[in-house]
Amino acid sequence: MNDALTLTPGTATTVSLLKAGHTKIRYAAEVLADDGAHVVVRAPWAGAGIKDFGFVRFEKGDVFTEHYWRDRWYSVKEVRAADGTRKGWYCDVARPARVTAGGVEAEDLDLDLWLSGDGRTVLRLDEDEFAESGLAEREPETADAAWRALDELEGLARSGGLDGLLAGA
């Protein structure tokens, strides 16, 4: 899928993260790159307060460099602390991103992957939520694509990290 609209680096845009067709969160971001397939934006942590996952904390001052693809079933968010230290990469399995006049939209499919900043910890997340979502029964092809995306991300993370995937951005 290749949207006709491409975003101009250096401009402001809006990122909308959807879940089950409804907007979960919407926030402002700066466009860093858009080659027609891969969009890269940067945004401060947009959550309310601190989000502590146990293996990482997202908090005020954190900066997310977010990678969205129009033709891949995931997005990758590099997370850095306010001092620039890389915390890691949070990867959402999602439908391919849509770019519209309103910004970037990505629909979360519940499966996630975490790769720590030092590359030592790889965690598959929310597989139980995915199973409970009923997506496999409603949209078996989408569920298969989601599992393949999670497996691809894990393979990349375990074989040297995500820098190669994100190079050139």
Side-chain angles (χ1 to χ4, degrees), residues 7-11 30-34:
L7 301 174
T8 304
T11 62
E30 176 190 0
V31 178
L32 300 180
D34 184 357

Side-chain angles (χ1 to χ4, degrees), residues 32-113:
L32 300 180
D34 184 357
D35 67 7
H38 177 201
V39 179
V40 185
V41 301
R42 181 175 298 132
W45 166 242
I50 295 171
K51 176 83 174 191
D52 190 341
F53 291 95
F55 52 86
V56 68
R57 286 169 46 113
F58 297 160
E59 53 201 329
K60 184 176 180 177
D62 287 351
V63 177
F64 287 64
T65 301
E66 304 179 357
H67 299 258
Y68 298 93
W69 287 268
R70 292 173 177 89
D71 59 354
R72 296 185 189 194
W73 287 78
Y74 51 77
S75 60
V76 176
K77 298 163 177 91
E78 180 189 45
V79 184
R80 291 189 179 264
D83 67 2
T85 304
R86 184 186 296 175
K87 291 184 173 186
W89 295 267
Y90 197 92
C91 308
D92 288 316
V93 172
R95 295 180 193 273
R98 292 186 47 224
V99 177
T100 68
V104 179
E105 291 182 355
E107 184 170 354
D108 183 10
L109 296 176
D110 292 317
L111 294 171
D112 300 300
L113 184 109

